Amino acid sequence: MRVRDLLAPGAPRLRLLAGEDELDRQVTGVMTTDLQDPGRYLHGGELVLTGMLWRTLPADSERFVRTIATAGAAALGAGEVEVGPVPADLVEACRRHRLPLLAVPDDVAFGAVTEYVGRQVSADRAADLAALVDRHRLLVSAAGAGGLDAVLDLLGGDLDLDCWVLTPTGRVVAGPADRLPAADRDQLARAHLAAQRQRRRPPHRVRLAGGTYSLLPAAAETDAETPLADWILAVAGDVTEWTPKRQQLAENLARLVAAERTRRDEGRRLRRRIADEVLTLLQRDADPAEIGRALQASTTMAARYEGSTETSGTSPQWLVLSADATGLPDGALRPVLEEALAAATDRALVAALGPTGAVVVLPALDAPVPADAVRALLAPLEAGLGSEGRITVGVCAPAAESGGLRGALEEARHARRIAAARVGRVCVAGPEELASHVLLLAAVPDEVRRAFRSRLLDKVIAYDLEHQADLVRTLEAFLRSDGSWTRCAAQLHVHVNTLRYRIGRIEELTGRDLSRLEDRVDFYLALELA
């Protein structure tokens, strides 16, 4: 602010006594003193407030004014509550040293003047920083996450304003992590997701034991927008109580964070292409050597991103995760998983599988991510899922080298089916929850599985298509009923004789005997493969 602002409407009621030509001086703060020689405590730009208790003789005014003018004071405010009206010798001294002199009436407290200057200076500094943030938004965005840390450090040092950039799972992207406990980050992330799901207008205010925080979304410019993947700007304090200029600073900073989030997504494009290629290779049961080359490319790229020129000489084991989501925009699951898994590893390959699914491949030795860890990483997202929203994930056991990834994918898919059968918004199942026959099926090559399924079921399926006999459904119900004729007939709502006829027809078509345990197991496995 400038000295003339102290005389503007709305300012404390001060009278200008000298220095009419110096009103454009910048005021940076306030110092209140009655010392005879306060010069060593001044840094320049202060409004010096004094009760004039240092004055016993007219000559004291010249000495006092010369001292503070030499130290760089912007103006002098003389209080009239202690010694009465401002003496003429003080007015003349200020005129000689070209120092603005303001009389502070006895009914105006120094505290009111100090508070007014503080508000004006803070707002002006906030406006300057807001302009700085806005002017350099693209430059800082191109500088990477380090640029965000630099801006947040600037705000903390210049405005004593603590800010953090968080992911929806509470991971700190930028900001002083040691000043925000993990439990508080988790509560802030959940509160933000709940507010976004309820479509409340930001900023979202959250009161924790450590104080009040304001949360602003930093939405990336992506095709599949969802709060579950966007970053969050957390600011210490209640933004709604700030001055308009200071609020503009927070909004500009949120836009800067969103630009950085978009830039980070641009950097993930190559990794996503490799992930999609790996999934395509797995789906068509490609040569393991071809899959290995794609995985090696992703490992090399990750090492370069980390600034390392070395890669591990040990052939890694690999983990595969199969995931699906309901209640999210099409294509949104991939960025959600990328952000959530980044807390454990930055080497995850996340491929899109249809509009709602995703497959993740990551080195097991680089970052072991068991089912419990995945569940913990995704748990905060529950607050952002609506009543119909769900995320289900299946995790395989570590696969040795690339040759075992095809079976690992099957195992992860089976585990995801187990997760999908549970109740909850975020459900994860691991390999330890799979039956032994599932593990065996996952390791069988595709051509063997197709041949096995074909020999047992092709004739039954063909008969159903021709006669609408419902034999396949009858076979499934018979096996689920453990071969009980009465329970199976009740489940299918048919007479027992009708059931016996259908089972007999299946045995004729396949040459198998469903009274034998071995043949029942074969049919069960064939249906699982189907």
Side-chain angles (χ1 to χ4, degrees):
M1 64 175 296
R2 300 182 185 277
V3 175
R4 68 173 64 256
D5 295 331
L6 292 166
L7 304 170
R13 188 170 43 83
L14 308 180
R15 303 192 314 275
L16 180 66
L17 301 179
E20 296 85 355
D21 297 330
E22 303 295 329
L23 298 183
D24 285 329
R25 290 186 178 190
Q26 290 283 350
V27 178
T28 61
V30 178
M31 178 186 180
T32 300
T33 182
D34 277 307
L35 295 174
Q36 291 183 345
D37 185 6
R40 62 184 179 276
Y41 301 112
L42 297 175
H43 302 286
E46 294 91 346
L47 166 65
V48 177
L49 296 178
T50 180
M52 298 184 291
L53 298 180
W54 43 264
R55 182 183 178 277
T56 57
L57 297 172
D60 294 337
S61 296
E62 170 64 21
R63 184 171 56 253
F64 183 87
V65 173
R66 182 174 63 249
T67 298
I68 65 172
T70 302
L76 173 63
E80 298 178 324
V81 67
E82 294 288 343
V83 298
V86 178
D89 49 87
L90 182 58
V91 176
E92 290 301 320
C94 287
R95 285 176 177 167
R96 281 194 298 271
H97 291 279
R98 303 179 64 83
L99 182 69
L101 174 62
L102 303 166
V104 183
D106 56 6
D107 60 344
V108 176
F110 280 2
V113 178
T114 301
E115 182 181 356
Y116 178 80
V117 172
R119 287 200 307 268
Q120 296 299 313
V121 169
S122 178
D124 288 347
R125 291 167 73 187
D128 291 341
L129 280 174
L132 173 66
V133 170
D134 190 59
R135 190 183 315 119
H136 294 290
R137 179 173 59 86
L138 295 178
L139 176 62
V140 175
S141 297
L148 282 181
D149 276 317
V151 171
L152 298 189
D153 286 345
L154 174 66
L155 295 176
D158 220 38
L159 286 180
D160 194 24
L161 180 63
D162 282 338
C163 302
W164 299 265
V165 178
L166 306 176
T167 68
T169 57
R171 178 175 62 89
V172 176
V173 177
D178 57 330
R179 299 185 192 173
L180 193 63
D184 289 354
R185 299 198 301 265
D186 181 78
Q187 290 187 60
L188 291 177
R190 291 175 183 268
H192 172 78
L193 291 176
Q196 290 289 88
R197 178 170 55 81
Q198 296 164 7
R199 300 185 182 278
R200 301 207 306 265
R201 291 190 61 183
H204 312 307
R205 289 168 292 172
V206 182
R207 295 187 183 276
L208 302 180
T212 300
Y213 297 86
S214 298
L215 307 175
L216 292 93
E221 298 175 4
T222 59
D223 294 334
E225 295 182 359
T226 171
L228 297 181
D230 292 331
W231 287 349
I232 308 161
L233 175 62
V235 182
D238 187 347
V239 172
T240 62
E241 296 179 353
W242 291 1
T243 63
K245 289 182 178 180
R246 197 175 175 93
Q247 290 181 11
Q248 184 64 44
L249 166 65
E251 294 170 3
N252 285 346
L253 183 57
R255 285 194 287 270
L256 184 151
V257 174
E260 169 63 15
R261 176 71 177 82
T262 301
R263 187 203 66 82
R264 185 70 61 86
D265 271 355
E266 291 293 325
R268 283 175 171 164
R269 283 191 175 184
L270 178 57
R271 179 172 289 274
R272 288 178 174 180
R273 286 201 296 269
I274 294 177
D276 291 340
E277 178 185 352
V278 169
L279 178 58
T280 300
L281 294 173
L282 291 176
Q283 288 176 323
R284 63 181 177 86
D285 205 14
D287 188 324
E290 191 176 359
I291 299 173
R293 285 192 291 272
L295 294 174
Q296 182 59 40
S298 73
T299 302
T300 302
M301 182 176 63
R304 289 177 179 172
Y305 179 79
E306 295 166 354
S308 171
T309 57
E310 298 181 1
T311 57
S312 173
T314 304
S315 297
Q317 292 182 310
W318 296 89
L319 285 176
V320 178
L321 281 61
S322 177
D324 195 70
T326 56
L328 294 184
D330 289 352
L333 183 58
R334 168 149 62 181
V336 168
L337 291 177
E338 287 174 338
E339 285 302 322
L341 293 174
T345 177
D346 58 1
R347 300 193 177 193
L349 294 174
V350 185
L353 183 63
T356 64
V359 170
V360 184
V361 179
L362 66 157
L365 295 182
D366 175 63
V369 186
D372 288 343
V374 175
R375 188 180 297 109
L377 290 172
L378 298 179
L381 302 180
E382 293 177 349
L385 294 168
S387 58
E388 301 299 323
R390 294 194 74 203
I391 296 177
T392 55
V393 182
V395 183
C396 76
E401 302 183 349
S402 57
L405 283 180
R406 184 66 181 84
L409 176 58
E410 287 296 325
E411 184 179 315
R413 285 173 172 167
H414 284 294
R416 197 203 65 77
R417 293 191 188 102
I418 293 176
R422 294 174 175 163
V423 176
R425 292 181 178 177
V426 175
C427 298
V428 182
E432 67 280 357
E433 302 177 65
L434 296 177
S436 59
H437 77 273
V438 176
L439 299 178
L440 292 175
L441 290 177
V444 176
D446 271 357
E447 61 272 13
V448 176
R449 285 180 294 191
R450 284 193 294 269
F452 180 78
R453 183 176 63 241
S454 177
R455 282 198 300 270
L456 266 76
L457 296 181
D458 276 4
K459 291 183 179 179
V460 180
I461 294 172
Y463 190 89
D464 270 352
L465 291 175
E466 183 177 353
H467 302 283
Q468 288 78 48
D470 217 10
L471 296 186
V472 173
R473 190 168 74 91
T474 299
L475 177 60
E476 291 175 339
F478 186 72
L479 295 175
R480 282 197 303 269
S481 302
D482 297 324
S484 169
W485 297 99
T486 54
R487 289 207 309 271
C488 182
Q491 181 180 340
L492 294 174
H493 304 289
V494 299
H495 194 274
V496 172
N497 290 339
T498 301
L499 175 60
R500 291 184 183 278
Y501 171 80
R502 291 181 182 178
I503 295 298
R505 176 59 65 187
I506 293 172
E507 291 175 334
E508 290 177 9
L509 292 169
T510 60
R512 299 297 186 104
D513 182 356
L514 279 167
S515 66
R516 297 176 66 247
L517 176 62
E518 294 87 344
D519 286 341
R520 289 186 187 180
V521 170
D522 285 347
F523 276 119
Y524 175 79
L525 294 177
L527 289 169
E528 284 289 296
L529 292 172

